Amino acid sequence: MSNRIFILGDRAVYAAFIIIVLALPLLVDDVFWLNRIAKYLVFGMLGLAIALSWGYAGILNLGQGLFFGLGAYMIAMSLKLQSYTSLQQGSDKPIPDFMLWNAEPGAPTDLCCITPGSWLWIPFQAQWFGMAMAIVVPVVFALIIGSTIFRLRVSGVYVAIITLALVLLARLLFIDLQPVTNGFNGLTDLGWLTIAGIEFDPFMVATYYIIAVSVCVVLLLSRWLISTRAGLILQSTRDDPNRSRYLGYDVASYQVFFFTVSAGIAGFAGMLFVIVSEFATPTYFDIAFSISMVVWAAVGGRSSLIGAALGAILINTIEASVSESEMFQQAWRLIIGIVFVLVVLFMPRGLAGLARDALARVVALSQRSGGKDSQSSHTAAE
C-alpha cells in the first residue's frame, strides 16, 4: 500500500511540473521573465543529466560543461552565419565578422581560407547541420572518453579528476583558437532559430514552448530509461559493480551508454540555451560552471531526476534574485558552497529525499492511526 502511494506521489510531482511549465505563459506576461525562465528550464535539463550520470550510474562527472559547451558552439556557428553581421562582409556567402578582423591582409573573403581552420565552418551554413552536430559531437566525444575510462575500470574520484581536466583543456583550446572561435569573446550577434521559414525570436512565447516541451520530453524519456531493465542493471552496477560482473553483465558497456546519454542531454541543453540567450562563450567550459551543475543535482536530490531538475531551477532562480542585491552579489558563490556542504552533511538525498521522508512519515502515521481505529472498533464489537 505504502509503495503504491510513493508511486502515485512521484507521478503527481511529474504531472504538476509539466502542467506548471506548459501553463506559465498564461500566467507570466513579461517576455523578459519568460525568457529567463526558459534559461532556468535549460539548467533544469542539465541537473537532470547530472542525476542520470551521478545518481543512477554512480559516475561523478565534473566536466559536464564540456558537453554543454560543445552543443552550444555547434548551433552558435550556424546561427552566427545567419546573422546580419555575417552577411555584410563583402562576400556573396556569409563570413563571421571576427574572421575578417583576424584575417591576414589580402586574404580571400571566403570561408575556405580567410583564416586558418575557417573551412570547418563551411557545413554549418546549413542550420540543420548545426542542430545535428549539437547532439552528435558531444555524444561522440562522450563515447570516446567513456570507452577509454570505463574499459580500463577507472572509477570514483579518478573519473571526476579526468573529466575536470578535460573541460579545462577544452576551455584553453577554444580560447586559443581565436581565428575559428573568436577566443575569449565567444560567438555573439547570432541569428534566430529558423524552422520551416519561421524565425523564433528568443522572447517569443513559441520559443519558450520549444524549450519547455523539450525539457518535459527529455524528463519523461529519462524516467522511462531508468525504469527499463538496462536502468535497473545500471543501478545495481552503481551499488556493487563487482557483483554485477560476477552475474555476467558487461558493466563498462552500461556505464558508457548512460554516460553518453547524459552527455547528449547536456549537448541538447547547450543548443537550447544558445537559442534563448543568443551567444556562446568559453565560460561554458569553466570549472565553476561544471561544479555548479553538481551542486544543483545534490541540492535537488541526485537520485531523483525531477528533484535534480527542480534543484537547478530553484538555485538559479534564487541566484538571479540575490545577485541583483549589492550585498550578496560577491558572496553568492560562497553561499552556494556552504549550501552544498550542508546538504552533503545533513541531507545527502537532497530535497527529493526530504520530501520522500516526509511522505513516508505521513503514510506511517495514517496507517498507525488506521490500525488503532480498526482495533478500537474490533474491541467495541466484542
Side-chain angles (χ1 to χ4, degrees):
M1 177 67 179
S2 60
N3 192 39
R4 185 181 178 186
I5 292 175
F6 285 127
I7 293 174
L8 292 174
D10 184 62
R11 290 177 179 175
V13 172
Y14 275 82
F17 175 81
I18 292 172
I19 291 171
I20 292 172
V21 165
L22 297 180
L24 268 177
L26 303 176
L27 307 174
V28 180
D29 294 329
D30 189 342
V31 292
F32 172 78
W33 263 102
L34 203 60
N35 177 269
R36 179 180 280 191
I37 293 170
K39 295 175 185 176
Y40 299 158
L41 290 176
V42 173
F43 291 144
M45 187 184 292
L46 274 177
L48 182 159
I50 288 290
L52 190 63
S53 173
W54 184 25
Y56 287 90
I59 303 167
L60 178 55
N61 181 3
L62 293 183
Q64 194 75 305
L66 169 63
F67 309 119
F68 179 86
L70 287 173
Y73 266 88
M74 293 301 103
I75 187 63
M77 289 168 71
S78 281
L79 297 182
K80 179 65 176 176
L81 290 175
Q82 296 180 27
S83 69
Y84 175 81
T85 57
S86 297
L87 297 170
Q88 301 298 315
Q89 303 303 323
S91 173
D92 58 343
K93 294 182 180 180
I95 301 290
D97 47 9
F98 69 86
M99 286 189 181
L100 197 64
W101 306 335
N102 288 295
E104 295 289 336
T109 310
D110 197 305
L111 275 178
C112 73
C113 38
I114 186 171
T115 60
S118 60
W119 55 270
L120 291 169
W121 283 66
I122 293 177
F124 288 92
Q125 293 177 87
Q127 190 181 98
W128 67 265
F129 184 83
M131 296 176 70
M133 290 299 103
I135 299 175
V136 171
V137 172
V139 165
V140 170
F141 268 84
L143 185 61
I144 296 171
I145 295 167
S147 298
T148 304
I149 292 175
F150 302 121
R151 295 295 176 190
L152 295 175
R153 296 194 182 183
V154 178
S155 61
V157 68
Y158 300 105
V159 175
I161 293 172
I162 291 171
T163 52
L164 195 65
L166 287 172
V167 74
L168 178 59
L169 180 63
R171 182 179 186 277
L172 295 174
L173 184 63
F174 272 76
I175 291 173
D176 288 343
L177 292 175
Q178 168 76 24
V180 180
T181 63
N182 202 24
F184 280 107
N185 300 313
L187 302 179
T188 56
D189 296 324
L190 306 182
W192 293 344
L193 177 70
T194 305
I195 301 176
I198 302 173
E199 289 188 328
F200 289 86
D201 182 336
F203 294 91
M204 285 175 59
V205 173
T207 306
Y208 169 83
Y209 273 116
I210 289 176
I211 308 301
V213 171
S214 297
V215 171
C216 293
V217 169
V218 169
L219 179 64
L220 292 176
L221 287 177
S222 299
R223 186 177 184 275
W224 167 80
L225 184 60
I226 62 174
S227 66
T228 61
R229 182 172 179 269
L232 297 175
I233 293 173
L234 179 77
Q235 293 173 62
S236 73
T237 64
R238 172 201 62 193
D239 298 333
D240 193 339
N242 289 326
R243 180 181 60 186
S244 297
R245 289 191 184 96
Y246 292 148
L247 292 174
Y249 295 115
D250 188 348
V251 172
S253 294
Y254 286 99
Q255 291 175 324
V256 171
F257 174 74
F258 279 87
F259 182 76
T260 303
V261 170
S262 175
I265 294 173
F268 185 43
M271 180 182 73
L272 295 177
F273 189 78
V274 168
I275 290 171
V276 293
S277 65
E278 297 183 278
F279 69 88
T281 166
T283 56
Y284 297 157
F285 302 105
D286 283 352
I287 293 175
F289 183 49
S290 291
I291 293 178
S292 294
M293 300 178 200
V294 176
V295 175
W296 303 339
V299 171
R302 63 175 180 171
S303 297
S304 169
L305 298 176
I306 187 70
L310 290 173
I313 295 170
L314 177 64
I315 289 180
N316 281 282
T317 303
I318 296 174
E319 180 179 3
S321 303
V322 171
S323 61
E324 293 173 358
S325 169
E326 188 175 347
M327 183 188 308
F328 294 103
Q329 192 171 17
Q330 300 299 325
W332 175 245
R333 291 193 182 278
L334 177 62
I335 295 171
I336 286 295
I338 294 173
V339 168
F340 179 62
V341 172
L342 293 176
V343 167
V344 170
L345 290 177
F346 302 106
M347 287 195 309
R349 293 186 296 152
L351 295 176
L354 194 65
R356 188 176 179 84
D357 290 342
L359 180 60
R361 291 192 189 96
V362 171
V363 171
L365 287 173
S366 63
Q367 289 179 342
R368 194 179 306 165
S369 175
K372 289 181 178 179
D373 292 342
S374 176
Q375 186 177 2
S376 299
S377 300
H378 182 68
T379 304
E382 288 180 346

